[in-house]
């Protein structure tokens, strides 16, 4: 796992946006996995700036990680609406190519299976952007989730409902109890993972996901299983990393190796 520590959230967003932009530019039909929450907002802002400077996203398909059960696209806090506001419109993506799990489907299990099939039919996710919950969740895979899970219905953790109450007028009871989320197995099938975490509230989750024992207690530790995972953090989120000296040393010498033979 590559750990990049940068001074602040803007620098982290710029770095993550650069990685995503290079993937988009390199693929004829790029498939990008997008995340909600505050962590990726700086990344979307930077990507929008790159689009304004000529990055072509017209052939880009996007898949969101998750959605609340029972909130239709018309609800401003549904992830359909959030992704539309923060990603589709900002970047100028074709709305027909942006997919979010259907949390208001009558048959939720069928909606989950259809979502997995849609990802496969698109050729799989080239690059998945992730945030991390303070409890180590990725998507809405709460602690205790199977590390091999597929898209499915999950129950939110009480702490996640409290964390997300800020989007629902401050009332944790107003936050839906259930969600649909890509599984950890789904996320691990993406060809590249980029996780962005900023702020002191994420310091413990970041230390555990990067260095802690792999396990369901911290679902984000699953990134340790992925061959192409990059974690981009600011100083506050990096505060509890034990191997910080090594990460900075590796970053500073990343370009020292001889180029591979042509
Ligand atoms: C939310 C989302 C996650 C997100 C996480 C952290 O509940 N389902 O995808 O990464 O919690 O959110 P934030 O970035 O706002 O701290």
């Amino acid at each position: 796992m590559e750990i990049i520590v940068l001074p602040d959230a803007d620098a982290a967003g710029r770095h993550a946006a650069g990685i995503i932009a290079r993937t988009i530019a390199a693929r004829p039909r790029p498939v990008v996995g997008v995340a909600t929450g505050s962590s990726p907002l700086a990344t979307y802002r930077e990507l929008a700036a790159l689009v304004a400077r000529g990055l072509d996203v017209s052939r880009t398909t996007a898949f969101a990680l998750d959605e609340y059960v029972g909130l239709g696209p018309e609800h401003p806090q549904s992830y359909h609406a959030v992704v539309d506001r923060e990603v589709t419109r900002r970047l100028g993506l074709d709305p027909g190519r942006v997919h979010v799990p259907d949390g208001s489907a009558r048959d939720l299990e069928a909606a989950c299976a259809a979502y997995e099939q849609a990802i496969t039919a698109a050729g799989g996710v080239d690059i998945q952007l992730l945030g991390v919950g303070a409890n180590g969740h990725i998507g809405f895979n709460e602690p205790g989730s199977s590390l091999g899970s597929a898209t499915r219905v999950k129950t939110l953790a009480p702490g996640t409902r409290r964390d997300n109450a800020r989007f629902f007028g401050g009332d944790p009871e107003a936050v839906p109890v259930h969600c649909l989320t890509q599984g950890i197995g789904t996320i691990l099938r993406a060809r590249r993972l980029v996780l962005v975490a900023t702020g002191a509230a994420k310091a413990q989750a970041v230390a555990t996901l990067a260095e802690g024992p792999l396990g369901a207690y911290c679902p984000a530790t699953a990134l340790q299983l992925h061959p192409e995972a990059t974690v981009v953090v600011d100083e506050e989120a990096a505060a509890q990393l034990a191997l910080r000296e090594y990460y900075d040393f590796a970053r500073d010498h990343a370009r020292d190796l001889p180029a591979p033979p042509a």
Side-chain angles (χ1 to χ4, degrees):
M1 188 185 301
E2 179 187 39
I3 314 282
I4 306 287
V5 184
L6 292 166
D8 54 39
D10 284 346
R14 261 195 307 280
H15 191 87
I19 297 173
I20 294 168
R22 283 194 290 280
T23 300
I24 289 174
R27 297 260 169 189
R29 284 186 199 78
V31 181
V32 178
V34 296
T36 53
S38 359
S39 310
L41 293 180
T43 306
Y44 298 138
R45 204 169 48 235
E46 293 297 331
L47 272 173
L50 293 173
V51 171
R53 277 187 255 140
L55 176 68
D56 180 7
V57 291
S58 61
R59 297 169 73 83
T60 298
T61 296
F63 285 92
L65 284 168
D66 45 15
E67 177 59 290
Y68 293 108
V69 166
L71 297 194
E74 69 291 345
H75 191 292
Q77 291 309 329
S78 70
Y79 284 169
H80 271 86
V82 172
V83 167
D84 188 56
R85 270 197 310 274
E86 304 293 353
V87 187
T88 312
R89 286 166 194 264
R90 269 174 193 246
L91 304 190
L93 297 181
D94 172 358
R97 293 179 190 255
V98 179
H99 306 270
V100 182
D102 184 2
S104 35
R106 278 190 55 209
D107 186 340
L108 293 170
E109 286 189 16
C112 292
Y115 203 66
E116 288 281 333
Q117 279 161 17
I119 293 172
T120 304
V125 171
D126 291 312
I127 187 158
Q128 175 68 56
L129 178 62
L130 295 163
V132 62
N135 65 359
H137 73 222
I138 47 173
F140 269 138
N141 293 282
E142 299 285 21
S145 293
S146 155
L147 299 183
S149 47
T151 303
R152 68 214 184 289
V153 181
K154 283 292 286 182
T155 305
L156 296 190
T160 300
R161 291 180 81 217
R162 287 192 291 274
D163 284 349
N164 288 4
R166 65 190 194 280
F167 300 115
F168 292 85
D171 178 11
E173 290 302 313
V175 181
V177 171
H178 296 105
C179 61
L180 307 188
T181 182
Q182 285 189 32
I184 298 175
T186 317
I187 292 168
L188 290 179
R189 277 197 293 280
R191 293 179 190 94
R192 177 134 198 220
L193 302 179
V194 178
L195 185 145
V196 178
T198 57
K202 302 292 171 66
Q204 193 180 355
V206 165
T208 307
L209 84 87
E211 300 168 347
L214 174 70
Y217 187 77
C218 178
T221 58
L223 267 70
Q224 295 172 21
L225 296 169
H226 197 284
E228 295 280 350
T230 299
V231 175
V232 188
V233 293
D234 68 356
E235 286 289 347
E236 287 186 347
Q240 293 182 34
L241 288 169
L243 304 176
R244 171 69 187 272
E245 183 189 26
Y246 176 70
Y247 306 138
D248 291 353
F249 186 76
R251 181 197 59 201
D252 293 344
H253 293 275
R255 294 183 203 287
D256 294 354
L257 289 167

